[in-house]
Structures are given as C-alpha cells and as structure tokens.
Amino acid sequence: MRLRNVPGAADMIAASPFSVNQPEEWKGKWRELFGNDRPVHIEIGMGKGKFLLTLAEKNPDINYIGIEKFSSVLVRAVEKTEEFEGNNLRLIRMDAENLQDVFAEGEIDRIYLNFSDPWPKERHAKRRLTSTRFYERYDHILAKDGQVIFKTDNRGLFDFSLEQTEEAGWKLLDCTLDLHHSEFAKDNVMTEYEKKFSEKGNPICRFTACR
C-alpha cells in the first residue's frame, strides 16, 4: 500500500520534544535520557501511536520508545503527544533493521509488535518482524528475562511467527487465537488497527515469547 506524503511531516517530527533525532548517540544510555533507572519497553512499527501513548499514560513507572519507519505515519503519533504530560515517552523514526545501532546489549526489557506488515510474498519472509532474522536482533538488545509480545489478525502471519519462534530457540509464555475472548482481554490495550479489525469480527491472535 502506497503511503500518502504529508507535507512538513519530517520537520514536525524533528521539532517535537518527544522525538529523538540522533538515536545512535543514546545507545547504551537510554535510561540516562529518561533520567531514571526504570524498565524500557519499545514498540516496533508504532503506527499512529494510540497503543503506546495509552501505555505511557497508564504506566508512568515504565519508559516507552516508539519506533516507526515512515514519517507520514509517525507524524500522527507526534500530533497525539500534544496533550501528553508525561516524561516517559520518546519517538524515533528509523528502520527496525538498525536496532543494534541504537540499543545496546540487554538494554530493552520488552518489545511490542502490533499488526506488523505481513510481507505476504515468500521471498520477503525475512523482512517480517517475527522472522528468525529479527529474533537475532531482539536476542541482542533484550535483557535476559526480556519478552516479545506479538499481536495480529493475520492467521497466516501468526502461524509463521509461531514456527519462527520455535526455530529461533525461543519459547512461548502464553498464546491465544482469540485475544478478546481470552483471559488476557482484561488488560489488553488496543491499537487503531486492532479496533478496526475486531469491529469487523476478525479474531485477534497474540503470544508472548521469551528465551
């Protein structure tokens, strides 16, 4: 799907007090940036930001970093931060392939992957954020007891992700094929896509993986 260009998006992102424009400079020092020693959670492919802003508001004792590749999407999250009063949120425009350039070994406590691009063509499988290729990156930046939490309405992508999790040598802490009718529904925070898909009747799949 072709993304619509948003004039001035890059400048608006750069000017936001929540944006980190040179993230490589903070590798190994993210808690220093936040000014505390609290856990750091990241969302890769944060989209328009509803999910992460909700978490940041509900959990002021956790530091959150949102990562989004496209300026035209991230600028919508930046707009939402205008009413955010906390100091536990930062935004980065970057490609997830560069995670190890930005985060040091064991620096991150949790990774959220919400409704990631399924890259449906088989030749693009390595680009999927739940491929073994990306698990290698997560293994480097996650703390020893760190977790990856994945949600999608795409059953094919979910089945692929389960296979890749096992192949990568990780294990599942929980797994459901219908999140909104499971024991995990109570504490679930929905994304924009999740709300849209669930209203259409699509079951939402979710798992939590660790080493």
Side-chain angles (χ1 to χ4, degrees):
M1 180 178 69
R2 184 180 179 85
L3 294 174
R4 181 180 299 175
N5 181 52
V6 178
D11 291 338
M12 189 181 301
I13 292 168
S16 170
F18 294 96
S19 294
V20 181
N21 298 312
Q22 300 295 331
E24 297 86 357
E25 296 180 0
W26 292 99
K27 180 176 180 178
K29 300 184 293 184
W30 285 98
R31 287 176 176 80
E32 182 179 329
L33 176 65
F34 284 106
N36 58 61
D37 197 35
R38 296 167 182 164
V40 179
H41 294 183
I42 67 175
E43 182 184 9
I44 302 175
M46 71 172 298
K48 298 178 182 178
K50 179 179 182 293
F51 174 81
L52 210 62
L53 264 78
T54 301
L55 286 184
E57 289 172 347
K58 293 178 64 175
N59 304 293
D61 57 338
I62 296 175
N63 301 315
Y64 292 96
I65 301 173
I67 296 169
E68 174 56 50
K69 181 178 180 179
F70 301 104
S71 296
S72 57
V73 178
L74 183 57
V75 71
R76 301 310 179 196
V78 167
E79 291 172 345
K80 289 184 175 68
T81 63
E82 292 178 2
E83 298 182 3
F84 181 71
E85 298 179 353
N87 191 41
N88 62 328
L89 176 68
R90 295 293 185 273
L91 309 176
I92 305 173
R93 193 197 69 76
M94 62 173 279
D95 192 310
E97 292 195 358
N98 301 320
L99 286 172
Q100 289 174 247
D101 295 333
V102 172
F103 302 110
E105 185 173 355
E107 191 169 22
I108 302 304
D109 297 280
R110 180 176 292 175
I111 296 173
Y112 291 102
L113 306 174
N114 293 317
F115 300 88
S116 308
D117 190 332
W119 290 102
K121 295 182 179 179
E122 189 60 34
R123 69 175 184 272
H124 294 152
K126 65 180 181 181
R127 299 184 184 182
R128 298 169 190 162
L129 294 180
T130 49
S131 67
T132 55
R133 184 165 169 255
F134 272 96
Y135 268 116
E136 290 178 5
R137 295 184 172 101
Y138 307 152
D139 184 58
H140 180 82
I141 68 172
L142 274 175
K144 185 177 180 180
D145 58 350
Q147 300 175 349
V148 172
I149 299 181
F150 174 61
K151 289 196 291 187
T152 184
D153 73 317
N154 187 313
R155 182 59 187 273
L157 177 61
F158 194 72
D159 290 343
F160 166 86
S161 302
L162 290 173
E163 293 171 358
Q164 293 288 286
T165 299
E166 181 178 3
E167 186 175 333
W170 291 49
K171 60 184 179 181
L172 297 180
L173 292 178
D174 61 63
C175 180
T176 176
L177 299 178
D178 192 357
L179 172 60
H180 294 175
H181 295 92
S182 74
E183 61 184 294
F184 310 109
K186 180 181 177 181
D187 297 321
N188 181 55
V189 173
M190 286 204 289
T191 74
E192 288 93 347
Y193 277 126
E194 185 172 357
K195 185 175 186 297
K196 175 183 176 181
F197 294 146
S198 62
E199 287 175 350
K200 290 182 177 180
N202 298 1
I204 307 301
C205 304
R206 192 198 86 159
F207 68 65
T208 301
C210 68
R211 299 182 193 76

